[in-house]
Amino acid sequence: MCRALALVLLLGCFSVQGALWTITYPRPIDDTDERTQYPIALLKLALDKTGVNYELRPSDRILLSGKAMRQLRENRQVNVVWSMTDIQREKDLNAIRIPIAKGLIGLRVFAVNDKKRAKFKNISSIEDMRGFVPVQGEDWPDTKILQANGFNVFTVPEFDEAYDFLKQGRGDFFPRSVIEITPELEKLGKGSNISLEPSYALYYPTAMYYFVSNNNKTLANLIESGLRRAKADGSFDKLFQSTYLPVLDEINMSERTIFTIENPLLPDDTPLDDESLWYTSMQ
């Protein structure tokens, strides 16, 4: 009996290790988009740590964040998505609660129209900041966070429209995560009238996680196991530091005044007490 049970467990282990895992993530608008390179690299690192046989590939169609989350809920086109968390998303999907960018998704600097840069001089408080109109996407968690903190938010249906409206002088600033802003401004080009405001930032506690369907616990466990192994051996932190510390230096993050605001959408299960999961020089 014991031998039979051992054989079953061995065969089950072999099945998990030997099976080909096809893992599909949302195809970005541009396959060279730098914003997707780190999440993909970290996902590869985590999967490699598990020793499973896998194929990681983009979806057949371009999927922006909102649609990707809907497709994931319906088990269509993708089976993993990375995105900023909120209470509703963690109800709808299985969040792997290891912040993949160590909370930098909540550290926001400002894309501004060059004609409005002078308006940002001599800001001394969050009350001063509330006098400016941020541009955000209609269904983004950031929109509700800013509104809850007293900002009059100008919303747009699609991501690209935010920069288009900013170019037209509508709204005052587009708060973008420090992990997003540089490639976005580079894509706009040197001839654009949009640039990086040099002196200020907003911070709210939040996390970007990998999400999978609530029906795919096995994949969730696999990714979490790989991430924790990468944390344990230092390879997670090495990838994070090599990717993002130069970015923080480039935008002079250490010289900026940071205004911290509340995040009412932060789920109770967010692992804020585990300092190893967060970049701690933000507040």
Side-chain angles (χ1 to χ4, degrees):
M1 181 69 176
C2 291
R3 288 182 180 178
L5 178 59
L7 180 60
V8 168
L9 292 175
L10 179 62
L11 290 174
C13 180
F14 177 79
S15 177
V16 170
Q17 296 294 321
L20 176 64
W21 290 74
T22 301
I23 301 171
T24 307
Y25 60 88
R27 181 183 292 275
I29 295 175
D30 182 352
D31 288 336
T32 64
D33 189 341
E34 292 182 28
R35 296 171 301 177
T36 68
Q37 292 177 8
Y38 171 81
I40 294 171
L42 181 60
L43 186 55
K44 287 180 178 177
L45 176 66
L47 293 169
D48 287 343
K49 294 297 177 183
T50 68
V52 299
N53 184 23
Y54 70 91
E55 177 188 13
L56 185 61
R57 66 186 187 189
S59 58
D60 292 334
R61 298 180 180 179
I62 293 170
L63 290 176
L64 300 182
S65 178
K67 186 171 183 179
M69 301 298 272
R70 290 192 294 272
Q71 295 292 311
L72 186 62
R73 287 197 301 269
E74 298 168 5
N75 288 312
R76 299 171 58 192
Q77 296 196 56
V78 292
N79 49 20
V80 64
V81 171
W82 52 88
S83 188
M84 189 172 130
T85 194
D86 65 21
I87 294 170
Q88 189 60 49
R89 286 180 175 178
E90 292 198 23
K91 289 180 180 177
D92 294 340
L93 296 164
N94 192 337
I96 300 163
R97 295 188 182 93
I98 298 176
I100 68 175
K102 290 179 169 283
L104 289 184
I105 192 69
L107 184 59
R108 301 283 166 144
V109 289
F110 314 145
V112 297
N113 187 301
D114 291 339
K115 291 182 178 180
K116 295 193 175 186
R117 281 175 65 112
K119 292 179 63 175
F120 287 83
K121 292 183 177 180
N122 302 318
I123 295 173
S124 60
S125 67
I126 189 62
E127 287 73 24
D128 293 337
M129 281 299 311
R130 290 190 182 103
F132 297 91
V133 177
V135 180
Q136 291 284 272
E138 288 179 353
D139 61 351
W140 298 356
D142 317 84
T143 300
K144 294 179 182 178
I145 293 169
L146 291 167
Q147 289 171 335
N149 282 273
F151 285 89
N152 179 25
V153 184
F154 187 97
T155 61
V156 294
E158 300 291 343
F159 166 77
D160 286 342
E161 292 181 50
Y163 277 112
D164 290 339
F165 277 64
L166 209 62
K167 291 175 185 177
Q168 298 166 19
R170 303 172 71 175
D172 294 316
F173 69 109
F174 187 16
R176 300 300 291 152
S177 167
V178 295
I179 67 178
E180 300 166 325
I181 187 72
T182 301
E184 291 176 3
L185 292 180
E186 288 176 352
K187 185 177 180 181
L188 291 177
K190 294 183 178 180
S192 172
N193 64 344
I194 305 301
S195 60
L196 178 64
E197 192 286 321
S199 302
Y200 301 100
L202 284 174
Y203 171 72
Y204 39 90
T206 189
M208 181 165 65
Y209 294 143
Y210 294 119
F211 288 88
V212 302
S213 166
N214 282 327
N215 298 322
N216 205 344
K217 304 292 187 184
T218 304
L219 179 58
N221 292 337
L222 186 71
I223 295 173
E224 180 174 355
S225 173
L227 288 172
R228 294 200 179 280
R229 291 178 188 182
K231 282 290 298 176
D233 68 16
S235 55
F236 184 129
D237 288 348
K238 183 178 180 180
L239 178 61
F240 170 84
Q241 291 166 4
S242 64
T243 302
Y244 291 130
L245 295 191
V247 173
L248 296 175
D249 287 340
E250 182 181 350
I251 63 175
N252 297 318
M253 200 62 235
S254 62
E255 303 298 322
R256 292 176 178 269
T257 299
I258 304 174
F259 299 109
T260 299
I261 59 177
E262 300 296 322
N263 180 1
L265 305 185
L266 193 68
D268 291 338
D269 290 331
T270 307
L272 295 174
D273 293 336
D274 187 347
E275 292 186 0
S276 72
L277 297 178
W278 307 90
Y279 181 72
T280 56
S281 300
M282 292 188 287
Q283 304 179 48

